[in-house]
Amino acid sequence: MPSLGAAGLGDIGQHFPDSSAEFADIDSRLLLRRVMTLIDAEQLRVGNADIIAGCAGTQACAVYIPRDAQWYCDRTDVGLDRVNVKATTTEGLGYIGREGIATMR
């Protein structure tokens, strides 16, 4: 997600509060479109992106990195040479990573 804060537009919770039924189970692609509309309205553009993809397994996300980077580029007009997608896991971090998984939205 482009940084609303870097654009001087507050934070994601200000625009899309989790207390609002409108955003319950919303597709993140719709949120990305709305954020891009906010950024465009300010006559700004996204220059670079550093994206963290969280995964449950040790190498579960690595195969999707090229696809996810291209997906982001296609929706933000940021060149592939300016997008970095990296995967992270909770491996070895207590119960989550050893016996369970966690999700965030």
Side-chain angles (χ1 to χ4, degrees):
M1 186 78 60
S3 175
L4 291 165
L9 298 172
D11 66 27
I12 194 167
Q14 177 183 343
H15 294 277
F16 313 110
D18 62 4
S19 59
S20 172
E22 176 185 2
F23 304 114
D25 300 319
I26 193 168
D27 188 318
S28 61
R29 293 173 290 192
L30 297 176
L31 295 180
L32 177 60
R33 281 190 211 126
R34 290 188 183 194
V35 168
M36 292 306 297
T37 298
L38 292 169
I39 289 173
D40 289 343
E42 295 296 318
Q43 298 181 342
L44 299 171
R45 65 180 181 83
V46 178
N48 299 75
D50 190 28
I51 302 164
I52 300 171
C55 301
T58 57
Q59 296 178 337
C61 285
V63 298
Y64 301 109
I65 288 174
R67 179 202 67 184
D68 291 349
Q70 188 61 57
W71 182 93
Y72 186 85
C73 293
D74 292 344
R75 284 152 184 84
T76 60
D77 293 327
V78 176
L80 192 56
D81 62 329
R82 296 189 175 269
V83 173
N84 180 57
V85 177
K86 56 189 171 251
T88 186
T89 70
T90 56
E91 182 181 12
L93 298 178
Y95 177 79
I96 298 173
R98 185 179 64 242
E99 300 172 32
I101 63 172
T103 62
M104 292 177 244
R105 52 174 212 174

